[in-house]
């Protein structure tokens, strides 16, 4: 089984860049996962809630260990999230298209992360 398929079978996700703005992909990805009955935590230091769900400022504030971090943020923020995810021993980092940084796969591998790039989680889950 490849890493993409394995990541899709995980149970607890976090979306970094989750937003209350319905036009942003941070909102769309968060709601998509939520609507597919996946346990998902929104991460955004500038929001306290996303549609009634408590929002967290960073991964280390989450009440439980997560399996997959999905980033919907600029590449330089994804790189910082990779460092935090590696330190927290999170298994997967899924960077939505446009969120990936240069040499992300190699960088994540050094941090002990399995990395998915160039794939949209909403497309892959519909698969």
């Amino acid at each position: 089984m490849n890493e993409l398929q394995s990541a899709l079978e995980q149970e607890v996700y976090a979306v970094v860049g989750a937003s209350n703005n319905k036009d942003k992909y941070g909102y769309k990805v968060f709601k998509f996962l939520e609507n597919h009955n996946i346990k998902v935590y929104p991460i955004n230091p500038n929001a306290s809630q996303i549609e009634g769900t408590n929002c967290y400022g960073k991964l280390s504030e989450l009440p439980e260990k997560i399996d997959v971090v999905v980033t919907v943020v600029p590449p330089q923020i994804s790189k910082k999230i990779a460092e935090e995810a590696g330190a927290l021993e999170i298994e997967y980092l899924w960077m939505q298209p446009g969120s990936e940084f240069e040499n992300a796969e190699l960088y994540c591998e050094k941090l002990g992360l399995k990395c998915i790039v160039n794939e949209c989680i909403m497309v892959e889950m519909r698969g």
Side-chain angles (χ1 to χ4, degrees):
M1 180 184 315
N2 66 29
E3 288 179 2
L4 187 144
Q5 282 306 116
S6 183
L8 290 172
E9 293 177 3
Q10 301 306 306
E11 296 182 7
V12 185
Y13 289 70
V15 175
V16 177
S19 172
N20 279 303
N21 182 337
K22 293 180 177 162
D23 294 329
K24 294 195 170 215
Y25 277 99
Y27 175 86
K28 293 174 184 181
V29 170
F30 172 71
K31 290 306 287 182
F32 178 88
L33 294 172
E34 192 176 66
N35 291 338
H36 280 77
N37 297 316
I38 292 170
K39 189 168 195 178
V40 57
Y41 292 98
I43 307 287
N44 184 330
N46 301 314
S48 59
Q49 289 192 332
I50 307 287
E51 288 205 350
T53 301
N54 284 340
C55 192
Y56 298 85
K58 54 188 175 180
L59 296 172
S60 60
E61 294 175 0
L62 293 172
E64 68 179 301
K65 188 171 183 341
I66 57 164
D67 304 308
V68 182
V69 178
V70 181
T71 61
V72 193
V73 291
Q76 65 272 20
I77 296 173
S78 287
K79 193 168 189 177
K80 290 177 183 161
I81 296 303
E83 293 166 8
E84 186 179 8
L88 293 170
E89 299 180 352
I90 293 168
E91 191 169 2
Y92 296 94
L93 178 63
W94 189 310
M95 289 176 264
Q96 283 290 100
S99 177
E100 63 275 77
F101 52 90
E102 193 172 336
N103 299 318
E105 291 163 296
L106 182 61
Y107 189 79
C108 288
E109 188 178 312
K110 289 179 181 176
L111 293 170
L113 292 164
K114 294 174 184 164
C115 174
I116 293 108
V117 295
N118 301 319
E119 303 290 346
C120 175
I121 196 164
M122 296 185 295
V123 170
E124 295 303 321
M125 279 196 172
R126 282 189 188 117

